[in-house]
Amino acid sequence: MRIARVFPRRTKSTPVDDLAFIGSPDLFSGNLEIDKIHISVVFTWDIPEAEQLYKEWSQIAPTEIGGVAIGTKGGDFVPGMYLKKGYVITSRGCRNRCWFCSVWKREGDIRELPITEGFNVLDDNLLSCSDSHIKNVFTMLTEQKKKGHRIEFTGGLEALILKQWHAEELKKLNPAQLFFAYDTPSDREPLFEAGKLLFDAGFSKKSHALRAYVLIGYPGDTFEKAEIRLYECIKAGFMPMAMLYRDESGAKNKEWGRLQREWARPAIIYSKMKN
């Protein structure tokens, strides 16, 4: 079956094959041999656009709207279907119940999936999986490394449950980047402890492989508190990446937007890390 996937916007992870489309159909879309159309929505603020795309694409073939923004629970991961080849998801869900995160509401507790090939791991909470699953993921990634791929963990790893053997196996993979998180004050001590484990395993601050997502601008946050978290990431040995909080409407505060941009540009962050 030929399934076209339609996306309201392009991101770095959007597929680029012949059956992946951005936005409205063009003059030639009606000539495509398509059996079904899936409109994939990642951001809640793209839902109105997706509804308009549904009206347009449904004239070509049977059309469905899905994706994390709609609350669609994910099934087994199919490489290259909704994410560019190279991205991989080996588990879904999370045991944590963070108020600002929709993963646990949509996916429930952690569940392990069949492991497919890929080199950029996007799992919601890989380290919550069983030791055997994590080891099998590392084995798969070792083979990807042998093929010349740069390993990345951009989905995020939980500092609180990082173990020494995790750190040692991660170092063997020599990842280009692996992300942790420092969103709220409770994340501070686990991040510092994770840094110690990773440096003991052989990671270096100079490589800038250790990264940390830092959520800013959420209700009750202040510029002072946010900058403390960002600078403490640096102190813990992690290069911070500010992530601006948005509600379901996607509205942005301009002042917070300026701070986010300042802490999302590597060149600027490097200069801060040197000071």
Side-chain angles (χ1 to χ4, degrees), residues 201-257:
F203 280 91
S204 168
K205 291 183 179 181
K206 293 181 179 180
S207 71
H208 301 305
L210 302 184
R211 310 290 301 276
Y213 294 121
V214 182
L215 186 66
I216 66 171
Y218 51 78
D221 198 13
T222 66
F223 292 112
E224 181 181 8
K225 291 177 182 178
E227 288 207 309
I228 287 174
R229 295 195 301 278
L230 290 159
Y231 276 110
E232 285 194 326
C233 277
I234 296 175
K235 187 176 180 181
F238 296 80
M239 181 178 173
M241 173 65 71
M243 307 293 289
L244 183 57
Y245 172 82
R246 296 193 191 188
D247 59 21
E248 291 189 356
S249 71
K252 285 185 177 182
N253 178 289
K254 290 184 179 180
E255 293 299 317
W256 279 107

Side-chain angles (χ1 to χ4, degrees), residues 75-78 88-91 111-117 133:
D76 288 351
F77 179 72
V78 181
V88 63
I89 297 174
T90 76
S91 66
R111 65 185 191 281
E112 298 170 358
L113 308 178
I115 299 172
T116 58
E117 289 190 347
H133 181 85

